Each structure stands twice: as structure tokens, then as C-alpha cells.
Amino acid sequence: MNPVMAAIQAAQMQMCMPYMMNYGPVPIPFPMQMAPQFNSSTYDEEEDYSAKEDDEEQRTLFCGNLDEHVTDDILYEIFLQAGPIESVRIPKDGGGRQRNFGFVTYFHLSAVPFALDLFQGLELFQKKVTIKAQAADRPQQRQSNDFSVPSVSSRMRNPFANDVAKGDHGAARHARHTLHDAKPYDRSPKHMNNDARRRSDSAVLDRNRPRTNPFLQNSSGGNRRSEQRNNHHHGQRKLYLRRQLTDSVEQQPTNSTFCLHGKEGRRTISMQNQDLVEYLESCGICQVCQLRYLKARGTEYRDMSKTFQRLNVEHSDEQPLKKPRLGVCPTCLGLFSEDFQRQLVEGILAKDISKYDSDGIVLALCLPMTLQLRQLSMWFALRRKFGCVIDDTNAPDVPIKEAVKLILNPIICAQLKKKNDPNGLMINVDLRHSVEAGEVEKLAKLHKAAFPGKQKRIEISRGLLEKQYQPARIKADLFEEYLPIPPTAVDEQLQLKSIVLTGPLVCVAGRYRKLSRELSHTPWVLHGQRMMEDSIEELIIHSVAPHFSESQEKIIFMSSGREDVDVRCLGKGRPFALEIPDAMCSTLSRQLALQMEQAVDRSGKVSVRNLQVVPREELLHIKTGEEQKRKFYRALCTMKEPVTVDILQKLQISESFVIQQKTPIRVLHRRPLLTRPRTIYSLKARVQRGQPNVLIIDLVTQAGMYIKELVHGEFGRTTPSLASIIGKPIDIQALDVVGIDLDWPAEVDNAIAVEGEAIVESTVNSK
Amino acid sequence: MSSLTITHEDPFEQYYFKEEEQQICGRPVSPITKNYDENYPSVVDRFFTRYYYLKTSGGKQAPFQVLYHSNRICLICLAPSHPAFAEGIASVNFDVGNVDRSQNVVKGKAKRGGMVLQADSTLALLTTEKGNVYKIPSCIRGKLVEVHTELIAQPKLLEQAEEGAGYFAILLPKIENCDDIKASLMTHADYEKYVQETSNIAVDEAAVAT
Ligand SMILES: [Zn+2]
């Protein structure tokens, strides 16, 4: 079973909610699909919906104490049980490592108390997740409506259970985020530069963030009660616009008036699609961007003239000829121009893309910050022109990053004959523009003026821009002191700064046996000096890596525990895995795997088997539940006097017992002093014929036990110890690991499989 | 299992070790018993260096042993010739008057919160059956990591235990102080010489007395 799904199901089982045992897609009502009539009996619920834009914090759950293996996807799938989710976010630290907490933002306020109740005691990867309402600490004006929990029966009811009937299933499908639609994995947790990381982060965010569409179905006339409701939420003038973009038969015939509802008869503020486009055109905005401001969806960018037609927008014939010559579109700086697309494709083709065998690609653009500033400037301009029809917290356009996915991604994929795959080859494109430096400088000054309280050397990042810079938080006049409204046209379009290809992260797993008692696990360096020539890590990497990667430095070797330098590992061996970032190749034939295994075997020190490529999720087998794993050992022990039958009998134990072990002195200088309880499952002692003071003891113990200290007791610091059990000194001379109870990775005998593969190949050839 | 053979049966018969064969890298794996070494050194010999420290109190000198691990961890013990062994050990107390060493707590890898001790700081008080009280010195400058509180309940451990198991405490000196500390302590050879001399003096004194 997919381990991610397994984790999710385990979490569900643990919650013991009967309806959850039957795991299936949870219907997600389209949040905007609210009943047009205002009805006092459903007041509270309606208010929840209408409030959604402004109270993100109140709709957000904080999840703490997350295991490092908890991904956005896992959080999404689990927390979806309490209602539709707007976004999921696990922040990363400066080094790109995932933090141990995350945020889940629901569409609906009412999901928050339900989720708090439902997920109480949730454990993921054996760690109890702390769940709090993000806004819990703040004063709650709306408390009576949002957070009070009226009765037990309603507490346990999914507040969205009723939404199935009125929910828009098409929208539900759109908003649903599946595991298959996963983010590109971090290519390498250690070595990736921050820029590339930021890009992949933003890709995740975008994918998780459903389109917030302020255009709601409503009757053009509106009604008094809705108006009252709007006024009720003062300062939150919502835009109820009528829009007909889809071909749905159920919808009303097209009337292309965008109209602030409720004011009809007195003062009508209206914005025709045609007005909007004409204004944009006058600002030199390109047609793609015009469609962005018309909130066009996926395929609507393909045949633009058809889309304009459907939206009842006409371009006069002369305009397209004249206007584009005036300059580059001030909002996208030519990003969506055909000329730029051509440059981008040429740039990518000039790279050594054939080196990578990946069928999938993912485009990661790093855009200059000025692009974001220019969207904001246009936003201000539209508000000046059309007034409060334009919301002050929800951008009036389809964000550039999303538009890149809708427009550029398919073009690049088609040109390269690759499919879009978040786990495929990452094409990192860095873009620059000549106005960037100057405008960012002005932004820095604007920032000081706009947020004078926050002078703690905050670096102005793209994330900060996205969050803080919107008309609701910054006054247009202040903005205009530093930067023009609307954005000015430029002569030059965006230029390619660099294109870097990053291959996918490939994981190779297997089991190793260690035959040498003079071999360290990883390179052993003391005071800058190599203490031993080889290491298990190097022996394996040297044989496996060249097939996948040109450089071996960034490969991470991990295993299910490790043994001391002087300990052998026999039996079926110890599971291990290599994380290979920027891999050129993502598959491994069994024949090649066998050759790699044989190459390692030739060292005579380490032997490898079951070598195979595995999905990255499976690596959590190595890292999780370490303390639950059993380990099998054989120890060569000696006594000062001949062993007696009584001693042998004391060392035959088939029932498990717990010992207390202090951190061994040999590691105490670098580890904390702790006393750990550890379980011994069984003991079996035998004596060497002809050497009555030599004992061979087989032990089955919980992982994490220090066996050498268990035998001699280390001055009484491990109790009981074998020495204290027999009441006599006993020492250990040699130790072998003979088994690790982890059935992973799958047993693959590459030697046998090669014959099968040869047959398959020959049949392919004979066709 | 025949009753006739009972008297001749080897009582260890069912306990003899039989090696299972295994092949790895195309070769048989050598049995673990091949690693047996008759002259295998003890735990202390394998990992520690023995140093000694002399403490003079009430005009009398008493020797203490410092087991210095290769990772610089130090165990503080009585030297084998400490007079308390001859007098019989009655009790051990880590409450040394102004502070109770057994309340020492360390946190984290850096052993935060551990008491910082000087070589002559008193670690514990040892009372013999003769009623003499010996101050146990820290012997080295370092941070107190662990106190062997088991000695409070079982002071006789000191007399019975294997070498090292009668440690009073574990100390961690700073890396940069290690050379000075080692230079200030007696080596094992110095100590043997010292034992020789003091026993000669004792013999002389005995001779004078008679
Ligand atoms: Zn544009």
C-alpha cells in the first residue's frame, strides 16, 4: 500500500469515527455557490460564507509537533475530513528544512471547531499533533457565531454533510487536491539553493490554493436583504458580479454587465467587460493580461479571440496593430508574448536536456519582483477607475504564477514533447528585467513608509509582497509617491538570466551485509584525518551513483540504524537507501542492479542485495518507528571462570523484560545523559565446546539498545545487565547483527530476474 | 535420552554452540567464535587510562583514581590503596555540607546545568567503619555529569565491585584543559612507585615501633 495513504488511514482508524472508516472523497461544496436569497433562518451559516475572505486567520488551524515526514499532501487529505480546505502550508526554515508545524486554512469558519473536535489526539508517524485555532489567542468578536459549540450532537456532525445537495460537483472536483497532483519533491534537503527552493515552494502553494473567484451568481437586481447584509459587514464591500464564461446550459443567457448588486435604482455602478478591456488596452496591457483581468480559466487562453467573443468584448481592428508597438505590456513585461515564448523554448533547447531520461518536466520560473509590484499598481488603477467594484483584498486578476502554468507550461511541454510532471525534470528559469533594480529600491523606501513599525530588517521577499501588499493594507496615494499608477510601459521585455536543469530526486534502496570488523558506516574523520580507508557509504555510493549522477557529493546515504566499526551485519542485511538529487536517470534495470551488487561484493567487506529504485515516500520505512523495530544479535562473551549449567540456565530467557540503560560513556561526551528503558525480547546462551569460559549469546532486543553495555553492565550503568543477571563479571569480545525485522525494501533477486528480463527483451526484439 | 546413559551424559550437551553456515560475497562467513582472544583486555584497559590524585587531609594522604576515557570522560574512584578499604566502608554521602552533589542535573548534549568542580572540590564524604570521614575530591577540573547515587544505599559496592564500578561520579573536563589535567595527575607508574614507597615507610614505621 502507498505509505502516505497508509499513514492517512492509520490516522483515521485512530480517530475511530465510524463514517471515516469508509474513506472516500469528501464532497466539497463550491464556497461561492451560496443561495442568492437571504434568509434569516440560515443567517449564521450565510455569514460564515460571506466572511470568508477577510478572516483567513480565523479559518486557520495551527498544527504543531509534526513529524518530518508529514507533507502538505498528508495534512490536506486528513484535514479534508472536517470540511473543504483553502490551503495547507508547512513552512520551511532558512536552510530549506521543513518546520515542525503547519497551517490548514478552511474555506468555512465553521470547519474550525469541528476540526478541533475531530482531530483531538491525532497522531501522525507516532507523534501526537497539537492542534489549535490559529486565531484562538485573539479577541473574538464573532465568537457567538463561530466558535461556540452548541451541543454534543451537533459537534460530532460534519457541518458540511448537508452541502452535498447544494454543492457544485464540478467545483468540488476542481478544488479537490489529490495525492497524484503532488508537489515537486524537494530535490535535496541539504544542498539546494534557496532560490530554487522558493520556486518549488510557490509551486506548491499555488497548486494548493483554489482559485478564489469573486464572481458570484446573483440576480442582477439584487435585493434589499442582501444589501443589508453587505452593509452589515461594513468595510467589506463584496463584489457580486454576474459573469457568464462557461457554456453551462443551466446558466442564464449572457449579459455582460458586471454590476455591483443592490444599488440598482439609485446609483448604478457598473463595469462592462468592454469597459474593462478598453481601459486595460489604453494602459497598453496585452491581450493575455486582459484575459487575466477577465479571470479567464485554463483553456480559455488558447483561443483568445473566441474567449473575448464569448465575453462580449470587441477589439477594434486597428487597435491590436497599433497598440502593441507602443511597448511591452506593463503588467507582464512581455512574459506572455510570443516572442518571449520562442526565446524561452530556444533557451531550454540549448541546454543538455537529452542527458535526462525523464519523460516529465516541471517549469519553475523565478520572476523579478517588479512584476508583482506592477500587478499591484494595476490593481490600484482599476480601483480608481471602477471604484469598489474591485475588491481590496482579492486581486482582480489571475495571478501571474497561475497564468504561467495555464499558458507557458503547456507550450513548453508540447515543444519539448514531455508531459508536465511535478516530480520530473525541473527547469529553473531565472528572469531579469532592467527596471527591477530601480523599482525594488523604490519598494524598499515604500516599505519603510508603509510599515514604519516593523523595522526589524525585514527582507522584502516575494512572499511578503504577496501577503502585505494589497490595497486593503496600503493606500494608493502612498504607493504613488514611490511608484506610478497605472504601471508604465517599458521598452524592453523580460530577459532570460539563466536556465538550470535539475533532475528528479531518485531513491535507490537495498540491504547491505557488513563482513569487516574494521569498516565504519560513514567516512570516519577525526581531527581532519581519515581514520579508515573506506566506509559502507562510500563503497555503496561508488558502485551505484555513476549510473544516476555525475557527482557523488550530494547523495545522501541512510540506513535503518547502523552498527559500530567492529560489528558485522550478517543474515539478510540492513535496509538502506540512497537519495540521489539531480538524477539523470530514474530507472534501474535488474541487469545493471546485479552488476552494481557484484561490484560492491568485490570489495569483500560489504555485500549488497535487493538493489532497486523506490518511490521517495517509502523512505519513511527507514526513518520511522525505529524504536518499534526488533534487532537480532549474536555476541561472543567471555567469563573469567568456566561457565556453569546454572549460569547457562539464567541466560535462557524467552519472556521479554525491560532494562534501564544510561547513555554509554563512549558516547556521553556528545550525547545527552539519559536513562532509556529498552526491551529484551529473548536471550539464548550456549557454550563453546572445549572452551568453557566462552559463551555465544543470541539476543532479540528493541532497537536502540547498546548491546556491549548490556553484556558487561558498564560499571552498573545498565541494569539489569547480563553481568547482574548471572551475578558475575562477563565481557563481550565480538558482536554480529544477524537480523533486522524490517520487510523493506521488497526482496528482489536481481540475479534471477536478469534471466526473465533477457527473455522479455528478446521477445521485444523479435516483434 | 535413554535412561542408561544418564550418568555419562555431559550436562552441557544441550548448551553447545553449533555454527550455522552462511555464504556472503561467495565465501563462507567466518564463525564469531574465531574472534575469541584469550588475552582480551578488560573494559578499563580497552578504553581508559588510569591516573591518580593525592589528597591530604588531617595530615594524612589518601590516593584516588581517575579513569580517563579516550573521549575525555573521567570516572572518579578510590585508588586500590586508599586506607578506607582497610578500615571498612560504612557510608557514602553526596551532601557535602553546602551542597548536595546528588541533586546535580545536566541537560542536553552540552550538559547544561552541571556543577563546575575544581580538582579539590569535595564530591562526596565517605565514612569508614572506624568512624573516619574521608573527603572524596573531584580530582580534576570539570563539569559534574553523573553522580553514582547507588553508593548511598549500597556503600559496600565500593569493596566488592570490579574496577571502575565503584565510581563516585562522572566528570567532563574541557577539551582545552585535558593536557594540563593529565600533567597534574600521577600516572599509573608514578602511583606504583608511590605505593611501593608508602608501604616501605609503613614497614619502617612498624619496625621503629617494635
Ligand atoms: Zn501582459
Side-chain angles (χ1 to χ4, degrees):
Chain A
M1 184 194 278
N2 177 332
V4 174
M5 290 308 291
I8 290 164
Q9 290 202 351
Q12 286 162 358
M13 301 286 277
Q14 176 205 327
M15 287 187 287
C16 294
M17 303 300 288
Y19 67 86
M20 283 190 185
M21 304 296 281
N22 187 0
Y23 181 75
V26 177
I28 300 175
F30 186 34
M32 301 302 178
Q33 193 75 22
M34 49 194 266
Q37 268 84 32
F38 178 60
N39 169 337
S40 63
S41 70
T42 59
Y43 182 85
D44 289 353
E45 195 184 7
E46 294 285 287
E47 186 169 72
D48 273 0
Y49 287 129
S50 58
K52 74 165 283 296
E53 255 81 44
D54 286 319
D55 54 8
E56 187 182 316
E57 194 172 80
Q58 298 186 12
R59 288 181 287 110
T60 300
L61 277 186
F62 169 84
C63 308
N65 195 32
L66 297 181
D67 186 84
E68 56 171 320
H69 296 97
V70 175
T71 61
D72 296 3
D73 300 324
I74 291 175
L75 278 190
Y76 187 96
E77 289 295 331
I78 288 168
F79 281 84
L80 192 59
Q81 322 257 355
I85 288 175
E86 185 179 285
S87 70
V88 171
R89 191 165 67 90
I90 301 178
K92 301 218 162 120
D93 65 18
R97 271 169 211 277
Q98 180 170 309
R99 308 291 295 265
N100 66 347
F101 57 86
F103 303 95
V104 176
T105 303
Y106 285 99
F107 271 116
H108 308 290
L109 261 176
S110 51
V112 170
F114 181 71
L116 285 172
D117 204 354
L118 187 60
F119 301 119
Q120 189 146 47
L122 173 72
E123 271 186 40
L124 291 171
F125 301 102
Q126 281 89 42
K127 280 175 85 171
K128 191 169 171 192
V129 180
T130 40
I131 300 168
K132 287 192 298 194
Q134 173 67 355
D137 309 338
R138 326 230 164 179
Q140 283 288 333
Q141 289 165 352
R142 297 158 50 86
Q143 199 148 22
S144 59
N145 287 332
D146 300 329
F147 285 90
S148 64
V149 179
S151 73
V152 174
S153 61
S154 66
R155 270 169 62 190
M156 302 315 286
R157 185 178 67 89
N158 183 334
F160 302 100
N162 296 343
D163 285 336
V164 185
K166 57 180 174 179
D168 175 329
H169 292 276
R173 226 176 298 124
H174 173 76
R176 183 162 167 78
H177 169 114
T178 67
L179 285 173
H180 305 292
D181 182 25
K183 60 175 177 171
Y185 280 115
D186 307 340
R187 298 299 156 138
S188 153
K190 280 188 197 162
H191 312 283
M192 197 170 188
N193 71 46
N194 282 337
D195 250 26
R197 171 156 306 283
R198 187 163 56 236
R199 270 172 257 148
S200 60
D201 283 354
S202 63
V204 175
L205 283 172
D206 282 352
R207 208 166 288 120
N208 285 343
R209 184 187 305 138
R211 193 196 298 250
T212 50
N213 187 340
F215 301 96
L216 297 175
Q217 276 301 120
N218 213 327
S219 56
S220 59
N223 63 45
R224 284 242 141 210
R225 282 175 143 172
S226 324
E227 181 189 336
Q228 281 167 1
R229 198 180 72 216
N230 269 354
N231 294 338
H232 181 79
H233 297 292
H234 59 277
Q236 191 214 322
R237 282 172 229 110
K238 299 223 28 100
L239 185 60
Y240 294 129
L241 296 175
R242 178 181 185 117
R243 181 162 187 267
Q244 213 61 53
L245 262 180
T246 56
D247 299 319
S248 167
V249 277
E250 291 140 32
Q251 288 175 3
Q252 296 297 310
T254 302
N255 169 348
S256 65
T257 306
F258 285 157
C259 168
L260 180 69
H261 100 145
K263 299 279 184 183
E264 199 182 49
R266 260 178 275 165
R267 187 167 61 94
T268 301
I269 304 167
S270 72
M271 179 175 78
Q272 301 257 341
N273 283 349
Q274 185 69 41
D275 295 343
L276 176 64
V277 167
E278 276 172 15
Y279 175 69
L280 292 170
E281 192 112 349
S282 76
C283 299
I285 307 299
C286 74
Q287 291 202 357
V288 174
C289 288
Q290 290 171 16
L291 283 180
R292 286 199 299 115
Y293 283 95
L294 289 165
K295 292 264 180 184
R297 289 170 180 256
T299 53
E300 290 166 346
Y301 292 95
R302 295 218 181 122
D303 188 342
M304 297 207 296
S305 58
K306 199 171 151 198
T307 306
F308 279 120
Q309 216 172 12
R310 200 161 49 197
L311 291 167
N312 289 356
V313 172
E314 284 177 10
H315 286 94
S316 65
D317 287 342
E318 305 96 75
Q319 270 178 344
L321 289 175
K322 279 185 198 163
K323 294 266 172 167
R325 306 251 165 118
L326 285 176
V328 174
C329 169
T331 50
C332 70
L333 298 176
L335 181 65
F336 300 115
S337 70
E338 283 179 16
D339 184 48
F340 178 79
Q341 287 166 19
R342 193 177 41 72
Q343 273 187 42
L344 182 59
V345 171
E346 278 172 9
I348 295 170
L349 287 175
K351 292 283 157 185
D352 193 5
I353 201 161
S354 59
K355 193 170 84 175
Y356 296 89
D357 78 340
S358 178
D359 313 329
I361 55 163
V362 54
L363 189 62
L365 290 188
C366 183
L367 302 167
M369 284 209 266
T370 181
L371 268 179
Q372 225 163 318
L373 281 176
R374 283 162 175 272
Q375 307 318 299
L376 178 60
S377 168
M378 198 62 219
W379 192 349
F380 284 127
L382 289 172
R383 276 173 65 81
R384 279 187 180 169
K385 175 83 180 169
F386 298 102
C388 56
V389 176
I390 306 295
D391 195 88
D392 63 357
T393 42
N394 292 292
D397 57 332
V398 172
I400 295 244
K401 273 189 281 182
E402 198 172 328
V404 164
K405 277 191 210 98
L406 296 173
I407 302 161
L408 285 181
N409 251 357
I411 292 169
I412 302 298
C413 286
Q415 291 277 348
L416 299 175
K417 299 192 179 64
K418 302 266 188 191
K419 56 176 199 277
N420 188 42
D421 174 4
N423 295 320
L425 172 65
M426 190 187 269
I427 303 174
N428 305 280
V429 182
D430 219 345
L431 299 173
R432 62 181 166 81
H433 196 275
S434 50
V435 302
E436 169 82 351
E439 292 190 3
V440 168
E441 205 172 294
K442 286 174 187 158
L443 168 66
K445 286 179 187 155
L446 167 64
H447 194 72
K448 271 187 192 164
F451 303 99
K454 300 174 183 173
Q455 286 300 318
K456 288 183 212 154
R457 282 185 169 212
I458 295 172
E459 196 201 339
I460 301 172
S461 65
R462 287 164 175 80
L464 183 83
L465 262 186
E466 221 165 297
K467 258 194 206 156
Q468 302 273 356
Y469 282 73
Q470 40 183 260
R473 292 176 180 248
I474 290 194
K475 291 206 163 61
D477 294 345
L478 180 64
F479 182 89
E480 206 171 18
E481 284 177 30
Y482 300 91
L483 292 153
I485 297 175
T488 48
V490 289
D491 300 332
E492 190 194 326
Q493 71 174 21
L494 285 169
Q495 300 291 311
L496 297 174
K497 189 172 162 193
S498 69
I499 298 179
V500 175
L501 304 180
T502 312
L505 182 89
V506 170
C507 299
V508 177
R511 298 180 89 98
Y512 74 77
R513 274 93 54 96
K514 174 175 182 274
L515 295 165
S516 168
R517 292 196 189 279
E518 291 168 353
L519 183 65
S520 59
H521 192 78
T522 46
W524 184 14
V525 179
L526 201 63
H527 309 305
Q529 293 254 316
R530 285 252 5 195
M531 300 303 286
M532 278 180 180
E533 188 188 343
D534 268 326
S535 65
I536 298 174
E537 173 180 317
E538 288 161 293
L539 284 170
I540 293 176
I541 288 178
H542 288 168
S543 299
V544 174
H547 170 67
F548 294 98
S549 171
E550 284 167 349
S551 86
Q552 303 186 356
E553 291 127 50
K554 292 180 180 176
I555 296 176
I556 297 169
F557 173 70
M558 58 187 92
S559 62
S560 172
R562 59 197 294 166
E563 54 287 301
D564 291 340
V565 169
D566 58 355
V567 174
R568 296 188 298 183
C569 180
L570 308 173
K572 287 184 170 179
R574 189 184 292 275
F576 73 90
L578 298 178
E579 259 187 352
I580 306 172
D582 191 13
M584 300 178 292
C585 183
S586 44
T587 58
L588 175 62
S589 75
R590 285 174 169 179
Q591 193 167 5
L592 216 60
L594 179 67
Q595 283 172 21
M596 292 172 181
E597 290 177 1
Q598 287 166 342
V600 177
D601 278 14
R602 278 195 287 278
S603 72
K605 296 174 183 171
V606 177
S607 165
V608 164
R609 31 185 268 151
N610 300 331
L611 205 60
Q612 58 196 284
V613 169
V614 295
R616 191 192 194 220
E617 299 83 61
E618 289 195 9
L619 299 194
L620 60 85
H621 288 296
I622 280 190
K623 291 295 168 196
T624 56
E626 191 53 40
E627 299 201 344
Q628 272 73 50
K629 288 172 195 162
R630 290 180 182 220
K631 310 254 160 152
F632 300 75
Y633 297 95
R634 172 166 292 174
L636 178 71
C637 302
T638 51
M639 295 186 56
K640 289 177 177 167
E641 53 196 87
V643 69
T644 62
V645 171
D646 177 53
I647 288 172
L648 285 165
Q649 280 170 348
K650 282 181 177 157
L651 294 176
Q652 315 296 326
I653 301 175
S654 53
E655 274 174 28
S656 61
F657 61 102
V658 176
I659 61 144
Q660 302 292 329
Q661 190 159 54
K662 289 203 172 83
T663 306
I665 291 170
R666 61 186 157 110
V667 296
L668 188 57
H669 61 300
R670 56 185 168 92
R671 301 242 174 100
L673 173 65
L674 294 171
T675 303
R676 297 177 183 81
R678 288 286 184 266
T679 304
I680 297 179
Y681 298 105
S682 70
L683 276 183
K684 185 182 174 192
R686 280 159 302 165
V687 61
Q688 171 80 332
R689 198 184 285 270
Q691 282 176 315
N693 64 330
V694 176
L695 288 164
I696 295 92
I697 303 178
D698 288 341
L699 309 96
V700 183
T701 74
Q702 183 184 0
M705 171 99 73
Y706 294 98
I707 303 298
K708 292 168 182 171
E709 284 72 14
L710 168 69
V711 172
H712 55 62
E714 204 191 29
F715 313 127
R717 298 179 73 252
T718 293
T719 51
S721 62
L722 301 197
S724 75
I725 288 170
I726 63 174
K728 288 191 160 59
I730 181 169
D731 202 357
I732 178 167
Q733 290 200 2
L735 182 64
D736 289 337
V737 177
V738 293
I740 291 159
D741 78 334
L742 173 58
D743 287 331
W744 182 88
E747 291 228 14
V748 178
D749 190 338
N750 288 315
I752 291 173
V754 165
E755 291 165 30
E757 210 166 71
I759 294 164
V760 172
E761 270 174 5
S762 64
T763 53
V764 169
N765 291 340
S766 67
K767 275 182 187 174
Chain B
M1 282 298 178
S2 150
S3 59
L4 285 173
T5 60
I6 280 176
T7 48
H8 305 289
E9 197 176 78
D10 181 350
F12 291 102
E13 194 54 50
Q14 59 166 314
Y15 294 115
Y16 283 127
F17 172 65
K18 284 169 221 74
E19 174 75 24
E20 310 86 354
E21 278 182 23
Q22 194 185 3
Q23 293 247 337
I24 297 178
C25 294
R27 281 176 289 173
V29 175
S30 81
I32 194 167
T33 47
K34 280 269 163 68
N35 287 86
Y36 174 61
D37 176 356
E38 220 174 318
N39 301 311
Y40 197 66
S42 72
V43 172
V44 171
D45 286 323
R46 292 206 289 277
F47 303 112
F48 295 86
T49 311
R50 295 177 184 84
Y51 287 97
Y52 299 85
Y53 178 85
L54 293 179
K55 165 108 180 161
T56 312
S57 63
K60 283 181 86 179
Q61 256 188 347
F64 297 87
Q65 187 183 47
V66 178
L67 295 179
Y68 222 113
H69 195 278
S70 51
N71 68 7
R72 83 177 190 276
I73 293 252
C74 291
L75 269 62
I76 311 302
C77 312
L78 293 179
S81 67
H82 193 284
F85 285 120
E87 295 175 26
I89 288 151
S91 70
V92 173
N93 191 350
F94 288 99
D95 188 346
V96 297
N98 51 344
V99 61
D100 185 351
R101 304 285 185 214
S102 68
Q103 300 303 305
N104 188 67
V105 178
V106 291
K107 282 198 175 130
K109 285 185 264 192
K111 318 291 181 295
R112 287 188 309 278
M115 301 177 192
V116 177
L117 303 175
Q118 301 302 318
D120 61 351
S121 306
T122 304
L123 201 55
L125 297 172
L126 185 154
T127 310
T128 63
E129 281 167 356
K130 274 191 176 174
N132 287 333
V133 176
Y134 289 92
K135 284 183 178 174
I136 311 298
S138 302
C139 303
I140 65 153
R141 183 150 60 109
K143 197 178 260 187
L144 183 60
V145 174
E146 185 179 318
V147 174
H148 194 188
T149 51
E150 193 64 25
L151 294 178
I152 301 168
Q154 299 188 61
K156 287 285 172 197
L157 267 180
L158 286 170
E159 294 172 8
Q160 300 147 5
E162 286 281 286
E163 185 178 19
Y167 71 99
F168 288 93
I170 294 178
L171 270 73
L172 182 63
K174 286 188 176 171
I175 295 179
E176 59 268 29
N177 296 338
C178 281
D179 289 344
D180 287 350
I181 290 171
K182 286 176 182 172
S184 73
L185 295 169
M186 285 169 87
T187 63
H188 192 63
D190 293 341
Y191 172 70
E192 283 184 327
K193 220 182 282 171
Y194 163 79
V195 171
Q196 191 67 45
E197 282 166 12
T198 48
S199 64
N200 287 345
I201 291 166
V203 169
D204 291 350
E205 279 172 354
V208 169
T210 51

